[in-house]
Amino acid sequence: MQNKDFVQSEGTAFPGKTYVDHLLRPVFNDQRDYLFKQMFNIHRAHVVMLAEQAILDKKEAGVILQGVEEVAKTDYRTLQYDPQFEDLFFMMEHKISEVIGPDLAGKMHIARSRNDMGVAMYRLALREHILTLMKSSMLLADALLEQINEHAETVITAYTHTQPAQPTTFGHYLTAILDVFLRDINRLWSAYETVNRSPMGAAALSTTSFPINRKRVCDLLGFSKLVENSYDAIAGADYLVESATAVLSMMVNCGRWIQDFLQLVTREYNIIKVADPYVQISSIMPQKRNPVSIEHSRSLASSSAGEALAAIQMIHNTPFGDIVDTEDDLQPHLYRSYEKANRVIRLMHAVIRTMEVDKQRALNQAKTSCITITELADVLARDKNVPFRLAHQIASSIAKKCSQEKLELNEIPFRTVNEEIIKRCNVSLSQEEWNNIICPIEFIKRRNIQGGPNPDEVNRMAKERRNFLSQLETQLTDEKNRLSSANQKLQEAVEKWMADIKY
């Protein structure tokens, strides 16, 4: 049985009150906050092209563009949903028609559709988010390089299976983080190249019979290429998937080393000290320095990844065509994913740029847990011609003896070590050989194979990464300059057609 009061409150025609409150108004707000500028740039570029192709005459184009420019001055933050308009697009069309009249306002939409225009808006908005994240990412990469150079010789304990494994350097560890991060930046570049393509001119899906110039609109909007196939232009969603997976990959990868940092700042480890501006003192326990900047970064990284996954899930199994649920409902998830990722990168940039590392404490920890014992097996096999499997067994027996007797490797009597070796094979070590085996600094020095922790090798890698990062920074600057130039050309074209028009 119907609830008559509810039915009456919903209204008698589309859109019902619930549909307005829980779909149209939230969608309008998202469009207003993310797509206003992009919408008006598309208006400008499309009208300029129509005029250049003589589809609009000179006066019509000038009047339309003057109307577009006047309405574009609207403070979008003041706009509120109005039920007489389906969305922001129709509200702005109405405002333009109030300025120049409905007939001219209608001509602005010759040879285009909400389909190609909508996808173009999404691509323009997403393009800005990717560029913003890339700029912040390069700052973080630079901060990592700074710390790599500072700590190429800072000995730390490396872990596998969460257990102390072998000595390395903090610079070597950070280089590993940087290399993953640079690959993530490359993935962002790849996504950007996929996104930065123009769908304009596809219209609903099959282009138009008007003699338009798709390439001209593409250039005026700063797109690098066309999405050539018109069906692909409105149906393809891989630009969304690639953008989502790029930021997802970055946040998953960052989340792993952010977790490491949270461990390294604990009192038990106390290797990293977070600078005072990025810690919070407990309200009741004054001895605590809570690393809230890192904690929030970890949480935001997870949230960013979740938003990206939401976008991917919304695309999955959707029909191959223009569909609402991969547009208005989906886009904000992706924008929020990038916004949160940018916050993570900015926060961790500040933490890394300003942190302190206790080198002596890190070195002292690297002298524990028998983590240089691998070198004993290597010395026996390399220098004493002991079969490696036997050498490994000897090293294992000495490590076990240390564990049973609660001794560090440098505490076990040298005589005991030799007795264990001689018992299994007819060789022995000198005191100097043993001293080098138990020294984490010597352990690292000997690992001078390409990509190893030897400080010279770390410095070599850092130099190469610096050159690569410089190339990325130049590439980003060039792209931003190209987009700025395209925008300038668009403004000049608009001004040309507006010149001397009175209405």
Side-chain angles (χ1 to χ4, degrees):
M1 182 176 180
Q2 289 185 331
N3 183 311
K4 293 182 179 180
D5 290 339
F6 175 78
V7 172
Q8 185 175 4
S9 69
E10 287 293 295
T12 58
F14 182 83
K17 181 178 181 299
T18 296
Y19 193 80
V20 167
D21 291 343
H22 296 283
L23 187 84
L24 294 182
R25 183 174 286 111
V27 165
F28 176 91
N29 292 340
D30 286 332
Q31 293 173 335
R32 174 197 65 196
D33 296 342
Y34 290 113
L35 302 175
F36 184 88
K37 180 180 73 172
Q38 286 76 13
M39 177 185 295
F40 279 88
N41 273 344
I42 292 170
H43 288 334
R44 294 179 180 108
H46 185 70
V47 173
V48 166
M49 181 274 295
L50 292 178
E52 292 176 348
Q53 296 295 107
I55 298 170
L56 293 174
D57 67 33
K58 180 177 180 180
K59 183 176 180 180
E60 287 176 329
V63 172
I64 292 172
L65 287 170
Q66 284 186 343
V68 168
E69 292 304 308
E70 183 171 333
V71 178
K73 296 175 184 177
T74 304
D75 183 353
Y76 71 89
R77 295 167 297 185
T78 66
L79 297 173
Q80 298 296 324
Y81 175 78
D82 186 332
Q84 68 175 305
F85 306 113
E86 179 183 336
D87 59 13
L88 181 69
F89 174 86
F90 287 110
M91 178 184 284
M92 293 302 100
E93 179 181 352
H94 177 74
K95 287 184 178 293
I96 293 171
S97 71
E98 287 181 329
V99 176
I100 64 175
D103 291 341
L104 275 181
K107 285 191 173 184
M108 181 172 64
H109 303 296
I110 291 173
R112 75 176 182 187
S113 163
R114 285 292 305 283
N115 291 358
D116 59 346
M117 184 178 174
V119 175
M121 287 192 296
Y122 305 142
R123 286 174 178 266
L124 289 172
L126 190 52
R127 179 175 78 181
E128 289 189 13
H129 283 286
I130 297 174
L131 288 175
T132 297
L133 182 56
M134 282 197 288
K135 180 180 178 180
S136 297
S137 297
M138 289 178 194
L139 290 175
L140 176 54
D142 183 74
L144 286 167
L145 274 166
E146 182 180 84
Q147 293 291 0
I148 288 167
N149 290 326
E150 173 68 23
H151 296 291
E153 299 183 17
T154 300
V155 179
I156 64 167
T157 303
Y159 293 80
T160 62
H161 301 277
T162 72
Q163 301 301 304
Q166 290 183 328
T168 188
T169 68
F170 196 48
H172 186 241
Y173 167 76
L174 292 179
T175 303
I177 290 173
L178 175 64
D179 283 354
V180 175
F181 193 59
L182 291 175
R183 292 196 292 273
D184 280 325
I185 294 176
N186 274 335
R187 281 183 272 269
L188 288 177
W189 271 118
S190 177
Y192 178 81
E193 290 172 352
T194 301
V195 167
N196 197 34
R197 299 183 181 187
S198 174
M200 291 301 295
L205 63 86
S206 61
T207 70
T208 175
S209 59
F210 286 92
I212 63 172
N213 185 339
R214 294 187 67 195
K215 182 66 165 57
R216 179 58 169 159
V217 177
C218 174
D219 292 341
L220 288 172
L221 292 174
F223 288 118
S224 57
K225 294 181 181 179
L226 287 172
V227 183
E228 185 177 40
N229 182 282
S230 61
Y231 209 133
D232 177 22
I234 61 92
D238 57 307
Y239 78 98
L240 298 171
V241 175
E242 189 171 352
S243 300
T245 54
V247 69
L248 174 62
S249 173
M250 177 173 279
M251 289 299 96
V252 169
N253 290 330
C254 285
R256 297 181 66 202
W257 59 260
I258 289 171
Q259 173 65 21
D260 279 3
F261 272 49
L262 279 173
Q263 188 176 51
L264 292 173
V265 301
T266 61
R267 284 295 180 95
E268 290 75 14
Y269 283 83
N270 206 21
I271 301 298
I272 292 176
K273 181 181 179 182
V274 180
D276 288 347
Y278 309 109
V279 296
Q280 190 175 53
I281 305 303
S282 169
S283 61
I284 192 171
M285 296 166 284
Q287 85 283 5
K288 293 186 67 186
R289 300 179 79 255
N290 299 326
V292 290
S293 51
I294 306 178
E295 290 176 317
H296 284 295
S297 295
R298 178 179 62 177
S299 177
L300 283 169
S302 297
S303 183
S304 173
E307 297 277 14
L309 281 170
I312 293 170
Q313 291 285 12
M314 291 176 73
I315 297 167
H316 177 60
N317 280 355
T318 57
F320 191 75
D322 172 63
I323 43 177
V324 172
D325 56 350
T326 55
E327 296 174 354
D328 297 332
D329 298 332
L330 179 150
Q331 303 294 328
H333 286 290
L334 207 45
Y335 305 151
R336 287 193 294 267
S337 178
Y338 273 85
E339 288 166 353
K340 291 173 182 178
N342 192 60
R343 290 164 64 190
V344 171
I345 300 305
R346 286 287 183 161
L347 281 168
M348 292 311 300
H349 166 256
V351 169
I352 289 172
R353 190 78 78 178
T354 58
M355 69 184 181
E356 297 178 12
V357 177
D358 191 330
K359 297 181 181 181
Q360 188 58 53
R361 182 176 178 84
L363 176 59
N364 291 341
Q365 288 187 7
K367 293 178 180 179
T368 65
S369 305
C370 295
I371 64 172
T372 63
I373 197 67
T374 305
E375 184 60 15
L376 172 59
D378 287 354
V379 166
L380 291 175
R382 183 184 64 242
D383 302 337
K384 308 294 183 178
N385 294 319
V386 176
F388 182 76
R389 184 52 56 197
L390 176 58
H392 183 274
Q393 291 171 358
I394 293 170
S396 176
S397 66
I398 292 174
K400 184 176 181 181
K401 185 178 290 291
C402 287
S403 177
Q404 291 172 340
E405 299 181 14
K406 296 185 175 13
L407 296 173
E408 297 299 343
L409 204 55
N410 60 356
E411 295 173 335
I412 190 170
F414 173 57
R415 177 174 52 81
T416 302
V417 173
N418 259 339
E419 287 174 353
E420 187 68 25
I421 296 172
I422 293 169
K423 182 171 64 177
R424 293 170 177 260
C425 59
N426 191 28
V427 300
S428 63
L429 300 175
S430 69
Q431 182 68 58
E432 181 180 3
E433 287 174 323
W434 178 243
N435 289 343
N436 287 333
I437 287 169
I438 65 176
C439 176
I441 296 174
E442 183 65 23
F443 182 99
I444 289 167
K445 181 180 177 181
R446 294 179 180 184
R447 266 68 184 172
N448 59 359
I449 303 300
Q450 182 177 356
N454 179 286
D456 291 339
E457 184 61 15
V458 170
N459 287 325
R460 181 197 63 79
M461 289 189 285
K463 184 177 180 180
E464 287 188 0
R465 276 59 169 175
R466 170 61 66 190
N467 292 336
F468 180 67
L469 181 59
S470 296
Q471 292 172 10
L472 287 176
E473 289 169 344
T474 299
Q475 185 179 350
L476 180 60
T477 299
D478 289 347
E479 181 61 16
K480 288 191 171 184
N481 288 339
R482 190 189 68 80
L483 293 178
S484 178
S485 176
N487 188 63
Q488 180 63 33
K489 290 177 181 177
L490 175 59
Q491 292 300 325
E492 290 171 357
V494 168
E495 290 169 7
K496 170 190 171 184
W497 290 100
M498 286 172 52
D500 302 324
I501 298 297
K502 305 293 183 182
Y503 67 97

